[in-house]
Amino acid sequence: MIEQAHERSAGYGIPKSATPDYNPLGRADLTLVLEQNRMLHSHAAPVMETLYEQIINTHNMVILTDVHGLIIHTLGDADFLEKADRVALTPGVTWSEQSKGTNAIGTAIAEKAPTIIHADQHYLDANRFLTCSAAPIFDVMGNVVGVLDVTGDQRNFHKHTMALVRMSAQMIENQLFAAAYQDAIKLSFHSRPEFLGTLMEGIASFTPGGRFLSASRSGLFQLGLPMSALQTHTFSSLFGLPISALMDHYRTASPGLLELCMHSGVRVYAKCSDLRLPNTSFQHASGNARQPDAAAAAAAAASAPSSHEQSKARLSSLRYLNTGDEHVAVVIDKLKKVIGRDISILITGETGTGKELLAQAIHNDSPRKAGPFVAVNCASIPETLIESELFGYEDGAFTGARKKGSIGKILQANGGSLFLDEIGDMPLNLQARLLRVLQERMVTPLGSSKSIPVNVALTCATNRNLRDMIARNEFRDDLYYRLNGLVVRLPPLRDRTDLDVVIEKLLAAEGNGIHFTIAPEIMQLFRVHNWPGNFRQLTNLMRTAMVMAGADHEIRMEHLPDDFLDDVALAVAVLEKPAGALAMSDTATLEDVELSMIQQSLAAHDGNVSATARALGVSRNTIYRKIHP
């Protein structure tokens, strides 16, 4: 860099032995330059004073110049100022490379980067007694507007001076940034929360409608995009949330830090300062606010989860659901890699395997956790109503509709997560509408000609084989390929190896602080049972048993419902039958031989179906199928 700067200086025709320019601007001209740089000077002056306090009595001076290298303000030790006067380091003198050759101020402007020019690295012989550390000051659009410099006697050079200059220049830039967009939304963010409020934090500003305005140098570095590219972005495209979700967060009584996921996948902590909240429920892309109608607010309140449901939702996290089953652990590991990456998730598995609980955990672990989680069971809503439930409707859209309309489930989930359970039961005509919403990120309520922007993270679930449905023309293939960004399968309860841990967590969650235990013989029945209803069956059974146990706090045989005991009667009979009780006659069938082997193995393993399956080299499903023909 020094060599290139010297080549430029020689190209300007400056002789190295040239006498420094002693003709500064007159008072009137300097006053005009100060007025033109009033914003820079007003924000830089207090920072310069703080910087000077840190280097006082070190034979140095602090210098501020405009974009052309013209000095507009100085602070310094009296003894060094006399030396500085000899080389024209005074207000009104220009220190560009064209004027003074290679020097820290002029070269920092030319290179647009912090620069140290020490001793004989200066181009002019007269300046080689100096050591100079300069940092350019950038405005909100990334343009150089001035230079902050510390210059001193080269014998007093200190390697930490450059760090002080760079920090001070960044402080000035941040103040210029804050002053430039007084009515904008300013977001401070960093991957480490302890760096918020320091010079390390990134700052980005947005219009109330979410359009990107500008970012500080640290913000540009963390966002990983140049200013020109960022001009096409919005808050939503950069951080994965609509601006309305940010405002909703700051409407709470004591908002904490936000956890956001940037477009690059990096998670950051964020906060807003001096956020002026409009009285709106959500913002359109244009920034025009829309006040929610009373009916929509009532509908949202009616659909809000109960305190019990909210408590259960707080327990739902991927870590909480990882209870030791290898298959589930693999599923959770996959999900952790895609959360916050704008990848749709499709959960498959039998009814009652916990698909909605997993979807809630995905939301709770995502950057959108401060936003709403809206679940829709496509199989439980009548086909004639599912369209209006999903997309909403305007006043008078159809006979019997609620006055003032309804915003619909998709818009209720704006800024958060939408969970479509039993997506395979959605009518074909609505599949096309859903696909259009996912592609365009716009929702048009029934009876309306206006489209409303929406930003949701989508998770779907089904217990049906969507590929078979596509082959039968019962499910759209284009929608299927839009939904299956990541497909995961939850195993049925009978195939899980963590039943003991699951039951322990279930007892703790449903016990309201009371510790319940399960008698050993009952746990044995639980291990043998096929659990056709999966977690839904297990949860209902445990709730009933806990009520029946009452003050005993131990669940025993008499506390279990009769239908459950009927279901496990055959399995109990098999366990109690002596090994080899089934005689192998000449007429014994292959099925008889298999059943005998299973009975003997179950007896040998104390009824442990998993151990039996491993010993015989078959799946648990095979064991259950042979026991319960």
Side-chain angles (χ1 to χ4, degrees), residues 250-399:
Y250 279 93
R251 285 192 178 95
T252 59
S254 54
L257 297 180
L258 274 168
E259 290 185 51
L260 302 174
C261 186
M262 296 195 298
H263 66 100
S264 59
V266 176
R267 294 179 179 273
V268 295
Y269 295 86
K271 66 177 182 179
C272 282
S273 57
D274 302 325
L275 181 60
R276 301 178 184 181
L277 292 172
N279 295 319
T280 59
S281 60
F282 61 87
Q283 295 280 335
H284 289 262
S286 64
N288 296 324
R290 168 176 155 178
Q291 187 70 22
D293 55 65
S303 63
S306 65
S307 58
H308 175 71
E309 291 171 329
Q310 290 173 336
S311 176
K312 294 294 291 296
R314 283 193 294 271
L315 290 174
S316 181
S317 68
L318 294 176
R319 180 180 58 82
Y320 179 82
L321 299 183
N322 194 356
T323 50
D325 181 81
E326 183 178 355
H327 189 136
V328 175
V330 171
V331 168
I332 289 174
D333 184 60
K334 290 180 179 178
L335 290 170
K336 286 181 177 178
K337 294 178 180 178
V338 302
I339 287 179
R341 299 294 187 92
D342 195 24
I343 294 175
S344 55
I345 297 169
L346 178 62
I347 307 171
T348 65
E350 295 179 8
T351 299
T353 50
K355 294 189 288 292
E356 181 171 348
L357 193 64
L358 180 61
Q360 177 76 68
I362 293 169
H363 170 77
N364 289 354
D365 285 357
S366 77
R368 296 171 177 263
K369 65 183 179 181
F373 174 82
V374 178
V376 180
N377 190 319
C378 300
S380 65
I381 303 175
E383 185 173 337
T384 54
L385 295 179
I386 188 171
E387 184 174 17
S388 59
E389 283 288 319
L390 277 177
F391 303 99
Y393 54 85
E394 291 286 335
D395 183 16
F398 54 90
T399 304

Side-chain angles (χ1 to χ4, degrees), residues 290 391-397 433 443-452:
R290 168 176 155 178
F391 303 99
Y393 54 85
E394 291 286 335
D395 183 16
R433 283 204 66 184
V443 174
T444 305
L446 293 176
S448 174
S449 60
K450 296 181 179 180
S451 296
I452 303 172

